[in-house]
Amino acid sequence: MTQVAVLGLPHRPPGRTSIGRQTFIAHEPGALQYYIHKLVPYYNSLSATLLKMSATESDLFSTFLGVAKYWPWLLAVAAVVYMLWNWLGPNGMRHIPTVGSSAPILAYLSGLRYTKKARQMLLEGYAKHAYTTGIYKVPMPDQWLVIVAGPQQIEELKRMSDDEVSNYGGVDELLSARFILGQEVVDDPYHMPLVHAKLTRNLNEFHGIMKDEMWTAFDDLIGVSDEWTSVPALKTVMSIISRTSNRVFVGLPLCRDPEFLSIATNITLDIAHSRFLINLFPPFMKPFVAKLVNQVPSRLRKAYAMIGPMVEARRQRAEECKTNKEEWDDRPNDFLMWLVDEGVKKGYTNESTVLYLLLMEFVALHTAAMSFTHALYYLAADSSLVIPMRKEVEAILQEEGGDLGSRTAVSKMRYIDSFLRESQRMNGTNATTIWRKTLKPVTFSSGVTVPPGVFLSAAATATHLDETYHSDATVFNPWRFVGLDNARSFVSTTADFIAFGQGKHACPGRHFAAYELKLMLAHIVLYYDVKMQPGDEGVGVRPKNEWIGNSIIPDRNAHVLFRKRATS
């Protein structure tokens, strides 16, 4: 693997957070390696020439101005050459059907169109190719996205080995992670195994504190009034989810600290904004663009200033116990402590530990909040939907002796489970899932071969709306999955429901999220009446979703009305 330090910045050793000053790792096949190979000698030659010139500041400044005036032209030429290479080169993939134009420059314009018309383009490709080749591609501004569609091809993608396709490589392409978060995160996303090994397996230990925090958050943010109270839906849901999740991630009192919660929720916006801007440019320009637009380093500094001392104190205590072989009696049991322990084992810095905590905030908060807001809009638009869920929760409450938050109580909520699964089927938070990057040529049973270095993804929304799987697939039927076995529960991954991915790399945090969302919906139907605040769509109409590329975002401005449940 060739490593080139952009602008002469040194590569930081393992264990050092390289965010904001990261080394550019030239591991992209095709165009990126080609351009780095071609451009680096010119960069070195230019540097040497400038150094040999007059040492006076005025002469050097004049020389710089003389060279700089050509940079816009050089960048424009480089961009055009890249577009041609992306079409004519080995990764042009002209043998794979295209939605939109595949011609140079026009493909880039189609990629810009994809940022606003992804839904139409993905559904169009699925309708044409899901049951033929099972493979098609759509243009994004920075590269092709190859879509895997249809049951046979998705099953084949699910079964591909890690030496054929990379899960983390796919996530890297989706988020531009190495440019925004640093290469260290891409190479060792050690927070993800902790989700499965620690969080999911020990979820029972956190049921009590999650319920306590959620109930308190509802009282603080919505209250229990006999009068209708209007709240901004997505913002309020995000606040409740953030407090409940962080009761497990960092504990009290930090999970209620407004400043910390602002950092935890805004990291999602930082990554989303940075990713959107960076992905408008071809790969060889991304490192430079990232240095201009990446907002994550600033957020990390704020986070470290706030919780860095806590991390340092915990790490010092953990290392002392390890050295002295003694027990830590009042050892915190939260996700931050697990990150500290893992950081000690791996030799990572405290700054790195805080970065990985922010990554957990990113993956846990925004997806859960958007998923629940999608569901809340259905409930608020049709108040009759509350009846079967309310009856179910009341019966469970009696069976469980008043403990709504126990694992057995939540597992009995079949109507609530079906409601959430159907909402996720109709909306989801992303139109594609099972993100992978090919490491070698992979051939599907339809005969289509995808070359190495290609971003692959499965068509989630189109699969969920496929009439082959579901009758009246475009109609919201909240009780569609009631009465079916556990193979059709909210967290299950099946051929017709791929919102959480598939196979061994399916979302490891889905059990945590499902418990949280089911408990939240149960609390609402038990204690509140809800309805939509009239908006542009009219009275009792569910607000429309907003699509930004693959992302499916519930209306960010809609308000929902809450009041204390009316008793008959």
Side-chain angles (χ1 to χ4, degrees):
M1 182 181 293
T2 305
Q3 294 189 348
V4 180
V6 172
L7 302 182
L9 295 178
H11 174 59
R12 302 182 76 185
R16 300 296 299 274
T17 302
S18 54
I19 190 167
R21 294 174 287 174
Q22 62 226 34
T23 298
F24 183 78
I25 308 297
H27 68 288
E28 289 281 357
L32 184 54
Q33 287 186 338
Y34 174 84
Y35 280 106
I36 288 178
H37 175 72
K38 294 295 183 184
L39 291 176
V40 167
Y42 290 111
Y43 169 76
N44 292 337
S45 175
L46 177 61
S47 300
T49 301
L50 290 174
L51 290 173
K52 290 178 182 179
M53 291 184 176
S54 172
T56 65
E57 291 184 5
S58 59
D59 287 347
L60 186 60
F61 184 67
S62 298
T63 303
F64 172 78
L65 290 178
V67 174
K69 67 181 181 181
Y70 295 108
W71 276 111
W73 291 102
L74 291 173
L75 289 175
V77 170
V80 172
V81 171
Y82 171 76
M83 292 178 191
L84 290 171
W85 175 260
N86 204 32
W87 184 57
L88 298 172
N91 282 3
M93 298 181 290
R94 293 186 300 281
H95 63 292
I96 296 179
T98 307
V99 177
S101 177
S102 61
I105 302 179
L106 294 179
Y108 180 78
L109 296 177
S110 292
L112 295 178
R113 176 174 174 261
Y114 182 78
T115 63
K116 296 297 290 182
K117 300 293 183 180
R119 187 179 192 275
Q120 295 92 315
M121 295 174 73
L122 290 169
L123 291 177
E124 176 187 338
Y126 189 92
K128 291 180 179 178
H129 306 294
Y131 292 95
T132 54
T133 60
I135 305 288
Y136 60 98
K137 68 181 187 289
V138 293
M140 299 193 299
D142 60 329
Q143 62 181 308
W144 293 112
L145 172 60
V146 173
I147 301 296
V148 182
Q152 180 62 37
Q153 278 66 37
I154 290 179
E155 179 65 21
E156 292 173 15
L157 176 61
K158 166 188 169 182
R159 295 181 179 277
M160 287 181 182
S161 64
D162 289 342
D163 63 350
E164 292 178 297
V165 294
S166 169
N167 174 49
Y168 294 136
V171 175
D172 177 24
E173 292 296 335
L174 179 72
L175 300 178
S176 286
R178 63 190 178 280
F179 304 115
I180 296 173
L181 305 170
Q183 189 66 34
E184 177 186 290
V185 171
V186 177
D187 292 339
D188 187 17
Y190 71 84
H191 60 297
M192 297 308 291
L194 289 176
V195 174
H196 176 71
K198 296 281 191 178
L199 185 60
T200 301
R201 290 183 179 178
N202 299 294
L203 190 54
N204 284 348
E205 299 180 23
F206 302 110
H207 286 168
I209 63 172
M210 290 177 70
K211 184 182 73 170
D212 174 71
E213 192 60 40
M214 184 179 290
W215 274 212
T216 304
F218 266 99
D219 289 342
D220 293 344
L221 298 170
I222 298 177
V224 185
S225 172
D226 292 326
E227 302 298 324
W228 288 107
T229 301
S230 176
V231 299
L234 182 57
K235 180 181 178 181
T236 304
V237 169
M238 175 66 82
S239 296
I240 295 171
I241 292 287
S242 180
R243 283 182 52 167
T244 305
S245 299
N246 275 291
R247 183 69 179 267
V248 178
F249 293 169
V250 297
L252 288 168
L254 206 55
C255 69
R256 298 179 184 177
D257 186 296
E259 184 180 356
F260 174 77
L261 293 176
S262 175
I263 292 172
T265 54
N266 282 317
I267 188 66
T268 295
L269 299 178
D270 294 337
I271 293 175
H273 291 162
S274 301
R275 175 191 67 177
F276 179 79
L277 293 173
I278 292 170
N279 284 351
L280 293 176
F281 295 86
F284 71 92
M285 296 178 66
K286 288 184 178 182
F288 306 101
V289 175
K291 290 180 181 297
L292 299 176
V293 304
N294 189 7
Q295 302 170 30
V296 174
S298 174
R299 192 73 61 185
L300 175 60
R301 287 191 292 271
K302 293 178 182 177
Y304 191 79
M306 185 173 189
I307 65 175
M310 178 197 297
V311 173
E312 293 169 6
R314 288 190 181 192
R315 179 168 186 155
Q316 182 179 358
R317 179 64 177 138
E319 290 176 335
E320 288 174 355
C321 290
K322 182 180 179 180
T323 301
N324 300 330
K325 297 181 180 179
E326 62 183 40
E327 293 294 326
W328 184 354
D329 294 334
D330 56 345
R331 182 187 190 87
N333 184 30
D334 55 35
F335 204 92
L336 178 60
M337 192 68 240
W338 304 337
L339 288 173
V340 169
D341 291 338
E342 201 68 17
V344 171
K345 292 178 185 177
K346 293 176 175 288
Y348 287 157
T349 63
N350 294 329
E351 184 185 33
S352 178
T353 298
V354 175
L355 173 61
Y356 279 91
L357 175 64
L358 293 183
L359 288 180
M360 271 303 298
E361 305 287 355
F362 168 69
V363 300
L365 303 188
H366 84 287
T367 51
M370 289 197 299
S371 294
F372 190 84
T373 304
H374 280 308
L376 178 61
Y377 286 159
Y378 282 117
L379 180 62
D382 183 357
S383 59
S384 68
L385 298 178
V386 77
I387 297 172
M389 291 189 288
R390 182 172 285 169
K391 289 181 178 179
E392 176 182 65
V393 172
E394 289 174 337
I396 293 172
L397 203 60
Q398 286 188 337
E399 294 171 7
E400 295 295 320
D403 185 6
L404 192 61
S406 70
R407 182 175 184 177
T408 54
V410 172
S411 67
K412 294 177 181 178
M413 298 176 184
R414 301 314 304 265
Y415 279 87
I416 283 179
D417 188 282
S418 178
F419 191 96
L420 291 170
R421 181 181 172 97
E422 177 71 351
S423 174
Q424 191 84 338
R425 183 188 71 83
M426 290 289 293
N427 303 281
T429 58
N430 204 295
T432 62
T433 57
I434 320 180
W435 304 292
R436 302 289 187 266
K437 186 172 183 178
T438 54
L439 301 177
K440 59 175 65 172
V442 294
T443 301
F444 290 85
S445 60
S446 60
V448 177
T449 297
V450 180
V454 172
F455 186 17
L456 281 176
S457 190
T461 296
T463 297
H464 296 161
L465 299 180
D466 190 335
E467 292 282 346
T468 303
Y469 295 123
H470 307 288
S471 60
D472 297 323
T474 58
V475 176
F476 177 72
N477 176 5
W479 323 130
R480 188 184 296 272
F481 303 105
V482 173
L484 300 179
D485 58 25
N486 287 332
R488 291 295 185 271
S489 71
F490 181 42
V491 298
S492 62
T493 59
T494 55
D496 61 350
F497 187 74
I498 59 175
F500 295 115
Q502 289 275 286
K504 65 180 181 180
H505 293 301
C507 174
R510 66 188 187 278
H511 297 280
F512 176 82
Y515 174 81
E516 193 171 44
L517 300 192
K518 290 169 75 172
L519 187 64
M520 195 168 174
L521 185 53
H523 185 74
I524 289 175
V525 301
L526 189 61
Y527 294 110
Y528 292 97
D529 293 325
V530 297
K531 66 179 181 179
M532 288 301 308
Q533 178 169 303
D536 295 337
E537 294 83 3
V539 178
V541 179
R542 185 188 186 279
K544 294 180 180 178
N545 297 332
E546 177 184 4
W547 281 64
I548 302 178
N550 294 336
S551 298
I552 309 169
I553 304 170
D555 191 311
R556 289 175 282 185
N557 299 314
H559 281 59
V560 170
L561 299 172
F562 283 78
R563 75 175 180 188
K564 181 181 177 181
R565 173 186 170 184
T567 56
S568 54

